[in-house]
Amino acid sequence: MKIKLPRKLRVQVLAGKVLGVSVYRGYAPLSLLARISKADIYDAKANPTGTQRDLSPKHAKEAYEYVRDRRLAYWPEVFLCVREPQVLKFTPRSNADPESGELVINMTVVRRCQSIAISRTDGNHRLHYADGHDPQFPPLDRAVSFCLAIGLTLEEEITLFRDINNNQKRMNTSHLDNIQTRLDPEQVLMQKDPELYIAQTLGRSSDSPLHGWVYEGGVKNFGSSIPLRTLKTGIEYMFSRPSKLTALKNAQAQYKVIRNYFDAVKQWIPDAWNNPKGYLALRGSGLWGICFLGADVIDRALSRGAFEPPEMLQILQSGKVWDWTNKGSFQGLGGRAGAVKVSEMIANEFADQSGVSVKELYRKIMGG
């Protein structure tokens, strides 16, 4: 999309310093900030002095849609850096107020610059689609705050990019999930994110074997040891293939079945509840393995028309006895792949109603 711009863009700003960095700060439409700036993408061969990570189109699209679709929205200020001082001129409002005034950006000079005149130190994904260059994404003219640094060397700009992206502590993902459950009414959450609803209910409901065990972010309460995000991911793994559990299509019904499954697991490995740090069943890939296994156990139970803990415990106990301690049967199995391995090892030893395990069937099929 060809955008016709005036030769000069004018913005009201305040001049000052932020921790030793000279800046202009103000408000401007996202489209304007996108048009005056460019991202300096690092490329080991083509652009070894670049400062920015490669663009994620998905991230940029989500940023665009967030501003386009939300009435109430907020972003921290976009941080730009002037590399070619001749592209702008600041005029104070008066001698009595030298820090307040008008910033004029000469777009003719910006376009003619061989190098990047104004770089995007922080905010490239927010600005990428905002200028309207892609016909699928009309210009975003909603105003945001910005900070425009001046007088920095390229090395200093790279240093600030590192500091901005490295010194901030990422918000705990379980805390973000907890915030989501507080924003969405229960009925909405059950439809929108049933895995999150089930994971949180397992931690909160007094009839659950995981009551009080799920950490939702913020202050860590005594006893809570399973991050909400970890459990939610486990429930997602449990739903990752079509089964009778996924066919229920009702989060409350699914919760009851999954709760019963964890009741059976607690009876199967009681020591994991008594000494969680010494056992893998309620931690990381061990917990995920339990969840992958749950899809199999629940499917077997539901196929028999059963969904209570005793029937599921019977299935769990139909195979061999496993050592769930840290140095036991599943030592060294980590991540999603390790979790799948844990569940496969256990399920292969289950006996079906005829008393024959999958492992034994395999031997018979192969003539062993």
Side-chain angles (χ1 to χ4, degrees):
M1 180 184 293
K2 187 72 174 177
I3 306 293
K4 187 175 182 180
L5 299 174
R7 289 180 57 250
K8 294 182 179 181
L9 299 176
R10 303 173 185 274
V11 186
Q12 299 301 309
V13 297
L14 290 174
K17 284 197 172 185
V18 177
L19 300 177
V21 179
S22 296
V23 299
Y24 298 116
R25 305 181 87 162
Y27 301 90
L30 277 162
S31 57
L32 183 151
L33 296 175
R35 289 162 187 162
I36 68 173
S37 64
K38 290 182 180 179
D40 190 9
I41 305 296
Y42 170 79
D43 185 305
K45 293 182 178 179
N47 188 26
T49 63
T51 59
Q52 281 285 327
R53 58 184 170 173
D54 197 10
L55 181 94
S56 165
K58 180 178 181 293
H59 185 184
K61 181 175 179 288
E62 289 171 349
Y64 179 93
E65 291 172 345
Y66 171 74
V67 173
R68 182 195 63 190
D69 300 338
R70 294 284 293 273
R71 181 191 66 80
L72 181 67
Y74 182 79
W75 270 340
E77 64 185 3
V78 173
F79 184 37
L80 308 177
C81 183
V82 178
R83 293 185 179 178
E84 301 293 342
Q86 70 270 23
V87 303
L88 55 81
K89 181 180 179 181
F90 174 69
T91 304
R93 184 167 296 161
S94 66
N95 291 333
D97 186 13
E99 295 181 345
S100 175
E102 184 179 67
L103 188 67
V104 178
I105 301 163
N106 191 321
M107 290 303 297
T108 302
V109 178
V110 169
R111 283 191 288 263
R112 288 177 180 172
C113 278
Q114 296 295 318
S115 59
I116 295 175
I118 301 175
S119 70
R120 298 172 185 171
T121 307
D122 189 53
N124 183 38
H125 286 90
R126 286 173 277 170
L127 296 179
H128 180 71
Y129 288 120
D131 60 0
H133 73 276
D134 188 318
Q136 296 183 53
F137 300 92
L140 286 175
D141 294 325
R142 296 183 73 179
V144 296
S145 57
F146 71 91
C147 183
L148 183 63
I150 56 176
L152 295 177
T153 65
L154 182 60
E155 183 178 355
E156 289 171 334
E157 182 185 338
I158 293 173
T159 299
L160 291 181
F161 174 82
R162 179 203 64 191
D163 293 347
I164 291 169
N165 288 279
N166 192 45
N167 288 349
Q168 301 180 58
K169 183 178 179 181
R170 289 179 60 84
M171 186 177 288
N172 182 281
T173 52
S174 292
H175 185 64
L176 289 175
D177 285 338
N178 171 257
I179 292 294
Q180 187 62 53
T181 64
R182 289 158 59 187
L183 289 173
D184 288 329
E186 186 177 271
Q187 293 298 321
V188 173
L189 187 65
M190 282 193 286
Q191 295 293 324
K192 181 179 175 182
D193 197 341
E195 295 90 349
L196 179 55
Y197 163 78
I198 291 168
Q200 188 179 65
T201 306
L202 283 168
R204 290 186 173 184
S205 181
S206 59
D207 66 357
S208 166
L210 297 179
H211 178 235
W213 283 76
V214 180
Y215 171 62
E216 298 187 12
V219 177
K220 195 159 189 176
N221 296 319
F222 177 78
S224 60
S225 60
I226 305 173
L228 179 61
R229 175 61 62 88
T230 300
L231 183 56
K232 178 193 172 188
T233 301
I235 303 302
E236 289 171 349
Y237 289 158
M238 200 178 284
F239 286 174
S240 61
R241 65 174 179 84
S243 65
K244 289 181 172 57
L245 177 64
T246 59
L248 289 174
K249 302 296 183 184
N250 180 282
Q252 287 181 318
Q254 290 167 335
Y255 163 75
K256 290 179 181 179
V257 174
I258 293 171
R259 176 201 62 199
N260 288 352
Y261 169 67
F262 276 104
D263 265 328
V265 172
K266 185 176 181 180
Q267 296 176 59
W268 184 45
I269 323 170
D271 289 338
W273 268 255
N274 298 327
N275 179 22
K277 291 184 178 180
Y279 286 75
L280 298 175
L282 299 179
R283 294 189 289 119
S285 57
L287 175 65
W288 289 345
I290 290 288
C291 290
F292 273 120
L293 182 66
D296 191 309
V297 171
I298 290 171
D299 212 39
R300 290 169 185 250
L302 293 178
S303 295
R304 303 175 188 177
F307 60 90
E308 296 293 347
E311 288 87 359
M312 296 190 198
L313 179 61
Q314 183 183 36
I315 296 169
L316 290 169
Q317 292 176 333
S318 70
K320 63 180 285 186
V321 176
W322 300 93
D323 181 356
W324 281 91
T325 60
N326 295 335
K327 295 184 179 181
S329 305
F330 312 115
Q331 183 183 8
L333 297 177
R336 186 184 188 279
V340 171
K341 181 67 174 176
V342 169
S343 66
E344 289 177 346
M345 289 171 64
I346 298 170
N348 281 342
E349 298 288 345
F350 285 159
D352 64 14
Q353 285 179 297
S354 66
V356 181
S357 72
V358 174
K359 198 170 185 179
E360 290 170 340
L361 284 173
Y362 176 81
R363 290 197 188 103
K364 286 185 177 182
I365 293 169
M366 300 304 291

